[in-house]
Amino acid sequence: MKFLISAGPTREKIDPVRFLTNRSSGKMGYALAEAARDAGHEVVLVSGPVCLEPPPGVQTILIESAAEMAKAIKTHAEDADVVIMAAAVADYRPIMTYADKMKKKDGNLIIELERTEDILASLGKTKRSGQRLVGFAAETRDLIDYAQDKLQRKNLDWIVANDVGKAGQGFAADVNAATMISAEGVTVELPLQDKKALAARIIAILG
Ligand code: PMT
């Protein structure tokens, strides 16, 4: 099967030297790409800026912004059997990017933001028969309720809910715990473990 997997953060430019981003390290998405490759699947990985080496045997596409991620994902989603969005895509970007480095002035600064495209929701609207869409839900409270809402609203087949409010797991850590929920109502508890082991479990469930 062809797996399309996203990883890492996006960067939304304010000016040539500043951007909005988040703490995603890409470890979860890269572990999924390696696990899918090791299970014998063809893998395309779309990655935001991270400090990880592109995995051997995986077609890796490097992007920066949410708009670039949307373009790359849509290009490769057409013939993908499984799409897993593990990336932490920015929900907002600055309405305008300054051509020159902003100079500080007295008083506060307000940067107006606009919504980025919800890539998963777009894929959910055009999902072809047999294709499976897998989202992640990163929450700090009401994990399962919010995850169920994303599963339905974005027309997903599975959602991997992870609590990113707990110290030492989730964003940037080497370990993670998750609850996988399917559109059919199957729930799989995945206890705290190394992201590579967790990724292998997720791929085994999907493969
Ligand atoms: O990269 P690591 O440091 O290893 O950390 C892993 C992780 C915590 C980033 C990962 O496990 C995770 O939870 N990824 C999803 C983070 C996130 O943005 O979640 P969300 O609940 O805000 O988004 C829900 C889903 O919609 C996600 O699959 C996301 O990729 C997708 N999305 C979000 C916004 C957007 N504009 N387009 C999207 O497709």
Side-chain angles (χ1 to χ4, degrees):
M1 289 194 290
K2 177 174 170 181
F3 275 64
L4 173 61
I5 298 171
S6 71
T10 63
R11 285 181 181 174
E12 310 304 323
K13 273 173 82 171
I14 297 169
D15 72 10
V17 298
R18 302 181 178 96
F19 48 80
L20 299 175
T21 191
N22 59 66
R23 292 173 48 230
S24 171
S25 64
K27 287 177 189 170
M28 192 69 246
Y30 276 59
L32 286 163
E34 287 167 356
R37 176 204 61 198
D38 293 348
H41 301 294
E42 176 191 349
V43 184
V44 176
L45 174 66
V46 179
S47 173
V50 296
C51 297
L52 304 172
E53 289 298 321
V58 168
Q59 184 188 349
T60 304
I61 299 162
L62 302 176
I63 56 85
E64 284 220 347
S65 66
E68 288 168 5
M69 178 161 287
K71 195 170 167 209
I73 291 286
K74 283 178 183 172
T75 302
H76 289 275
E78 274 173 22
D79 62 343
D81 300 293
V82 182
V83 182
I84 309 176
M85 287 290 294
V89 185
D91 289 319
Y92 295 91
R93 66 170 159 245
I95 275 184
M96 60 169 289
T97 299
Y98 291 84
D100 296 311
K101 181 174 174 242
M102 287 167 68
K103 304 301 287 178
K104 62 176 169 293
K105 297 180 187 142
D106 290 341
N108 297 337
L109 169 70
I110 294 174
I111 298 175
E112 200 174 348
L113 305 177
E114 63 184 359
R115 284 289 307 270
T116 56
E117 176 180 355
D118 189 320
I119 304 167
L120 255 185
S122 298
L123 294 182
K125 287 183 187 133
T126 57
K127 184 164 65 171
R128 55 174 173 72
S129 161
Q131 186 176 56
R132 278 175 297 155
L133 290 186
V134 184
F136 270 73
E139 311 291 351
T140 55
R141 65 180 172 90
D142 301 326
L143 178 66
I144 301 304
D145 285 350
Y146 283 133
Q148 295 269 18
D149 174 64
K150 284 173 182 165
L151 178 71
Q152 284 164 21
R153 197 161 33 83
K154 302 189 187 199
N155 191 25
L156 308 179
D157 298 279
W158 284 94
I159 189 118
V160 184
N162 50 181
D163 187 336
V164 293
K166 286 188 181 157
Q169 67 185 70
F171 276 93
D174 288 330
V175 295
N176 204 5
T179 304
M180 258 180 103
I181 306 166
S182 81
E184 278 85 39
V186 176
T187 297
V188 185
E189 291 297 342
L190 301 166
L192 190 67
Q193 57 199 295
D194 187 272
K195 281 179 179 170
K196 288 182 192 295
L198 182 68
R201 285 277 285 132
I202 293 170
I203 296 298
I205 289 164
L206 297 172

